[in-house]
Amino acid sequence: MIPIGVFDSGYGGLTVLREIRRHLPEYDYLYLGDNARAPYGPRSFERVYEFTLQAVRRLFDMGCPLVILACNTASAKALRTIQQRDLPHLFPPAAGETLPSRRVLGVIRPTAEVVGSLTHTRHIGIVATQGTVSSRTYELEIAKLSPDVVVTAQACPMWVPLVENHEFDSQGADFFVQRDIQRLMQADPLIDTIILGCTHFPLLLNKVRAYAPAHVRLISQGEYVARSLGDYLHRHPAIDQPLTRGSSVRYLTTEQPASFSAAATIFVGQPVEAEHIDL
Ligand code: DGL
């Protein structure tokens, strides 16, 4: 089997995998959640890079020629180094190709590509982990594609722990979501579009909807990442053709499989059976 690898620090990437499978149901998928070391948000660049590279290499070893970093924090802190420094050296291009024989894609670029067409006021907000916000990757990517768009980012360090601890429907979640959305809107009242710039945050969508002004559009990334992956596969037959099409998905976690399976079942909306893996 030659599956597409999907990696996240924990459960958040399941929101992306769900959309990818909706758009591209025929492929086989291998999902890896590094739950034992989540959250990545508060960790340094060095640690996030080190952990992400370990996970990516494991997915390559298990036969994936392509890995999606379904995690903004890993996309912000590790993707560029892996793409530019590690892959060309570890997996040199095949004869007649210019790109490495194994590829890694992230979730920030596909999101940055669409915001320019969604905002009318040209003022957008990002809610994300501390790591993603301090990397300023969204600001840099959006400036390249839509230089007139004003970007304001709000770190929401409590949101991932709320989701990882299944507290996304609780009153505790109301407190933190209301506070952080208020801070964002006070920083720039002209915002008409908010990107949920963390793959865990779609689980908090109802809370964000309740506290964001009614006219503000909320953007979850999964759908845009899925479309962009479809385009990518279309443009890169050398990667696409060997991928097997058995519509299967296998879940791996660095934590206990039973707790992953129980939580993942909520994210996926179907029974999930996970296996343990050490990185
Ligand atoms: N899901 C990850 C993201 O999209 C963050 C989770 C974490 O902090 O580990 O940024």
Side-chain angles (χ1 to χ4, degrees):
M1 185 177 326
I2 305 185
I4 297 173
V6 178
F7 168 69
D8 181 47
S9 59
Y11 302 114
L14 295 171
T15 65
V16 175
L17 177 61
R18 191 180 57 209
E19 290 302 319
I20 291 178
R21 290 187 73 208
R22 217 197 303 271
H23 279 71
L24 302 165
E26 65 275 27
Y27 294 96
D28 294 301
Y29 296 94
L30 187 53
Y31 183 89
L32 170 54
D34 189 9
N35 299 74
R37 300 188 292 194
Y40 279 13
R43 291 187 185 273
S44 66
F45 267 84
E46 291 73 20
R47 284 290 86 74
V48 173
Y49 162 69
E50 179 195 339
F51 293 171
T52 304
L53 184 60
Q54 281 173 359
V56 163
R57 293 195 71 163
R58 176 54 67 92
L59 287 166
F60 287 157
D61 287 346
M62 296 181 78
C64 303
L66 170 67
V67 174
I68 312 300
L69 300 185
C71 174
N72 288 268
T73 311
S75 299
K77 292 189 165 190
L79 179 64
R80 186 178 296 237
T81 312
I82 292 176
Q83 282 178 331
Q84 295 182 355
R85 199 182 68 191
D86 298 311
L87 293 185
H89 146 77
L90 293 169
F91 302 100
E97 290 279 334
T98 51
L99 293 169
S101 58
R102 306 281 171 106
R103 312 275 171 87
V104 181
L105 302 174
V107 288
I108 294 182
R109 178 81 187 193
T111 315
E113 276 170 2
V114 295
V115 289
S117 63
L118 300 175
T119 170
H120 297 293
T121 61
R122 316 307 285 163
H123 287 247
I124 70 150
I126 315 272
V127 284
T129 65
Q130 183 61 55
T132 300
V133 170
S134 55
S135 76
R136 297 186 57 81
T137 308
Y138 270 100
E139 285 90 329
L140 295 169
E141 289 296 331
I142 292 169
K144 284 186 220 155
L145 299 158
S146 307
D148 63 318
V149 170
V150 177
V151 181
T152 303
Q154 174 68 43
C156 306
M158 288 304 292
W159 294 20
V160 170
L162 285 166
V163 172
E164 290 277 319
N165 290 290
H166 322 305
E167 293 283 347
F168 43 85
D169 271 334
S170 69
Q171 287 180 352
D174 280 281
F175 174 82
F176 288 108
V177 172
Q178 180 175 27
R179 184 195 69 181
D180 293 337
I181 292 294
Q182 255 171 15
R183 285 180 178 167
L184 177 67
M185 294 307 300
Q186 273 163 10
D188 183 358
L190 293 178
I191 287 170
D192 71 348
T193 305
I194 297 178
I195 296 176
L196 303 184
C198 171
T199 56
H200 283 65
F201 292 179
L203 272 288
L204 290 161
L205 186 63
N206 290 340
K207 303 269 184 224
V208 180
R209 187 63 283 161
Y211 296 113
H215 69 277
V216 168
R217 181 171 186 163
L218 305 178
I219 308 294
S220 294
Q221 305 173 286
E223 182 191 334
Y224 301 108
V225 172
R227 278 201 223 147
S228 164
L229 174 60
D231 285 351
Y232 184 88
L233 294 173
H234 190 67
R235 286 184 285 111
H236 295 89
I239 293 290
D240 181 51
Q241 273 162 13
L243 293 170
T244 50
R245 273 101 167 141
S247 301
S248 72
V249 54
R250 194 174 155 203
Y251 299 94
L252 308 171
T253 175
T254 54
E255 249 304 336
Q256 295 193 356
S259 50
F260 183 93
S261 301
T265 299
I266 301 171
F267 279 75
V268 175
Q270 286 174 5
V272 165
E273 284 261 347
E275 299 157 53
H276 176 81
I277 191 169
D278 282 318
L279 292 179

